[in-house]
Amino acid sequence: MTFKKVYDNMKAITKAGDIIGVACSGGRDSISLLNYLNSIREDLDIEVVCVNINHSIRDTSDRDTRFVAEFCKENRIRCYKFVIDSYNLARTRHLTLEQAAREGRYEMFRALIKKGLVDKIALGHHMSDQAETVLMHILRGAGLNGASGMAMTSEGIFIRPMLNVSRKEIDEYIAENALTYVEDETNVDSTYTRNFIRNEIFPMLETKFPNCQENLANFGAICKKDDEYIDSLVNLDAVITEKDVVKLPRNYFVYPEPIVNRMIRHAFTSLDVYADIESKHIEMIKALAKMGENGSKVSLPNKIFAVCEYDYITIFQKKPKVNAQTWAFRSGRIKIDGLGTLIIKRTSDATMREGVLKFDADKLPKGVVWRFRRDGDVFEKFGGGTKKLKSFLVNKKVPARLRDNLPLLATDEEVFVVADVEISDKVRIDMDSKNIYEVTLKKD
């Protein structure tokens, strides 16, 4: 049984009832995987479907999609077909064509998962691909994590059941089952990084080191075990993880370097960022923690920023500013896209509670509205004394990244309520207050 390893891997990484989407381009690797998984689907009690993505890069892309569709028809396999404009994606996102194609197909994969059409995506990566990945990551300056190469499972949804299968074993399976497949002519184009390693570097290495691919793959497996052990030593107790934001205590950066590096990588994983983060980016964050002043910031791939925020290094994905819309002041709920829901209601209870601001609405001037920060805004803090709103928010240690998205109850320039932060002294509740309102910001 040529693919016994694949069978054993599938038993370990899938469960009965799983719908497995096999990413199939029509090439020898993906056709082998699709054919084999379809042959064992009843034994493993799984459903197998095909996912074909046309990247619109080659003139023969449509031909390959037709080949895959015909293969699925002959073998009674459901086939999902998608087209990606990789050139447009590369242009609009400022990516290489290789990066754009990868981003596009993984977005399609995740969309299938999200819609519940498949439970996992099976990828046709094999031992040679692993060796290429390990070498490529090392050459780019990766540490143990990158040198580990690809995982058999990642993100809980991507599986690589052929990862420990050699090219020779795949060729044997093709011959045994008389499978036909298509050749991707771009595989000979060494302007692509992976093709350069495959077509130029490995043939030279193999003249001196015949087993270099297998050795590199084994080296990656060793690195993975060591990496997992060091990961188990990382203390994340004081790390704050919220939606789109991870806060790392600056005093954690005194830990040994291998621990700090993994703490930072944990932050990226929490933000669902798995690609394009290299050692140099880790070093930038460590330098920021060591030398940066409050408000100092560094820009990272994938629209990620790291910023010094008092006792923390905050890593977050940049979000667009909420719009300049205004809302009338009244009881009810205000849904603010990208932020959350503002809940305003009258109350007879003047007792203060954490997370809830209460104020005397009779002390508000006419014409107040809910809006966002503007240049020139002022605020009267408790005890008196009018300050620029920016200065007040700085004193309250509100991070700069949040200030423009805080809902304000205000007139043209004066602010009376800063949602989730404070009320102005001018609307403070006293013994005579009868028209009391409370406001809560429930963030998404």
Side-chain angles (χ1 to χ4, degrees), residues 32 44 46 48 93 122 128 144 176-177 191 259 278 296 360 384:
S32 298
L44 295 183
I46 59 174
V48 174
R93 297 188 184 180
S128 292
L144 272 183
E176 288 172 4
N177 293 273
T191 58
I259 302 297
E278 301 174 12
S296 300
D360 188 338

Side-chain angles (χ1 to χ4, degrees), residues 347-361 363 382 417 421-425 427-431 433 435-440:
T347 180
S348 58
D349 180 10
T351 306
M352 298 300 175
R353 303 195 316 273
E354 185 176 354
V356 180
L357 297 179
K358 298 185 179 184
F359 57 94
D360 188 338
K363 297 178 180 180
F382 274 85
V417 178
V421 180
E422 189 61 276
I423 65 168
S424 165
D425 190 66
V427 293
R428 180 202 293 258
I429 296 171
D430 55 36
M431 296 294 292
S433 295
N435 190 18
I436 300 172
Y437 274 73
E438 67 177 39
V439 59
T440 310

Side-chain angles (χ1 to χ4, degrees), residues 57 153 378:
I57 293 176
T153 65
V378 295

Side-chain angles (χ1 to χ4, degrees), residues 65 67 69 94 154 175 194 197-198 264 317-318 356 383 400 425:
T65 293
F67 172 82
H94 308 290
S154 55
R194 187 174 288 275
I197 290 174
R198 178 183 303 151
I264 295 171
Q317 290 182 302
K318 187 176 182 181
V356 180
D425 190 66

Side-chain angles (χ1 to χ4, degrees), residues 10 18-19 24 29 44 65 117 127 169 172 183 196 258 269 306 320 380 382-383 386 407 421 440:
M10 286 296 293
D18 274 346
I19 304 173
C24 184
D29 306 330
L44 295 183
T65 293
L117 297 175
M127 187 184 293
E169 290 171 302
E172 288 174 357
E183 292 281 6
F196 174 72
T269 301
E380 186 165 322
F382 274 85
T386 300
V421 180
T440 310

Side-chain angles (χ1 to χ4, degrees), residues 126-162:
H126 50 79
M127 187 184 293
S128 292
D129 295 321
Q130 180 74 307
E132 292 161 9
T133 300
V134 170
L135 182 59
M136 185 165 59
H137 286 179
I138 291 172
L139 294 174
R140 285 175 170 170
L144 272 183
N145 181 267
S148 299
M150 296 176 283
M152 189 77 73
T153 65
S154 55
E155 300 180 44
I157 54 176
F158 298 112
I159 60 174
R160 299 175 178 87
M162 295 203 303

